[in-house]
Amino acid sequence: MVPLRGALTALLLITRVSQAQRVESSLDVGGVALRYADTLTTGAATVTPHVVADWGSTYLEGYGTYSQFTTGGWSIQGSLSASRFIPTSHGFLGELGGFAGGSTHNDGTRTGEILANGRLHFTLAKGEVFAGVGVGRTWDATAWRSVLLGEVGVSAGSGATSASLTISPTMVNDSIKYADTQASLSWNGEALDLGALLGFRVGDQLSALSANVRSWASVSAVLWIAPRIGVALGGGNYPVDPTQGFPGGRFISLSLRFGQRRPTQPPNDQITEPSARAAPEIGPAPTGFIANRGVGDVVTLEVNVPGARVVEINADFTGWVPVPLVSAEGGWWSVSLPIKSGKYQMNMRVDGGQWIVPPGLLRMADEFGGTVGLLVIE
């Protein structure tokens, strides 16, 4: 009965993901060199699948890694997280989420963690401020422990660059108390994605584990050699995980990534006349954007672009197919579409120019190198 329940649960999850508005997946196949706790050096061949599904107001992400070590043995680890976004008044966006993850090893050792959390986001012109709390249980291969954590942070983006800063105080079983501060920076180009991370910890440590670093850093790069194939390189160090008892360490990794980046231009741009692509005309700049709820699920999107000849939008609620807007008075352009309450990603362009984030929307870098705006429909 247990295998049957597991199969039915997996089938229901696959069915649910297949109904998502946006599904993105990737597979990394490569190798990694590791030095655990400054005492054990090893290497491993790794396979890492990753999937993201988005239903507008609901977001699901999962990954897993199988590692076959050169020194013998293997391990499997993975996680599944989900979030439900709830629009509120005065520019706030609520989020309810959950996380489950763990690992298993050839020697029978197992770890696990399950958390429930809530966040409140406040959107700014080019970023957001957020805060949240979480509670859960963790298994460190010897005992179950309670976990209580908090989070406060800020994120911002401009063009192809995005950055974030978070502070996360954590308490494990009323005995281990610490706070991590972490900053990240990413840049997404036409064929190259770059990322960097820097963090430090204050508070209690686990004296039983070596490599008890107070600070850590890592860098990553992905060079896309084809629309669905990239070469991923990363390296750095990481801290002890007091919640599951993992030691800190150092790493360097190299892998092939199989997945689809969202193109900087939609597919129909590929048939544009060569002369037009060689010297694209720069259209007028948009000066305003409005989203108004009508009857039922109908939402009217309006963009103010005086002097424009053609205005289009491109979003997850259109299936990333460009939709033209209709010209109105005063330089306004509009379109009415059925859009349910939730959060969505969208861009716009003027007179066939570059895809840009509509004015007033939060600018974000997506998982596959694009820059999109966050549209919240209440």
Side-chain angles (χ1 to χ4, degrees), residues 198-232:
L198 179 66
F200 67 90
R201 173 173 296 166
V202 295
D204 298 332
Q205 297 282 66
L206 288 182
S207 58
L209 295 177
S210 303
N212 227 347
V213 297
R214 290 281 184 174
S215 61
W216 58 92
S218 63
V219 294
S220 63
V222 181
L223 176 64
W224 293 92
I225 58 178
R228 295 177 179 269
I229 302 176
V231 179

Side-chain angles (χ1 to χ4, degrees), residues 278-348:
E281 182 178 349
I282 300 176
T287 60
F289 174 80
I290 300 174
N292 289 318
R293 166 73 70 187
V295 178
D297 291 334
V298 176
V299 175
T300 299
L301 305 176
E302 300 179 79
V303 184
N304 187 252
V305 198
R309 297 192 306 273
V310 178
V311 178
E312 300 166 286
I313 63 169
N314 189 25
D316 48 10
F317 54 80
T318 71
W320 296 107
V321 175
V323 174
L325 278 66
V326 178
S327 177
E329 296 180 353
W332 286 93
W333 296 72
S334 67
V335 65
S336 296
L337 299 170
I339 309 175
K340 296 183 179 296
S341 298
K343 68 173 186 68
Y344 300 92
Q345 296 180 1
M346 69 168 293
N347 278 337
M348 62 165 291

Side-chain angles (χ1 to χ4, degrees), residues 345-360:
Q345 296 180 1
M346 69 168 293
N347 278 337
M348 62 165 291
R349 69 175 175 181
V350 180
D351 295 345
Q354 294 290 324
W355 289 99
I356 60 175
V357 175

Side-chain angles (χ1 to χ4, degrees), residues 42-43 68-74 106:
T42 185
Q68 181 65 54
F69 296 100
T70 56
T71 52
W74 53 266
N106 64 292

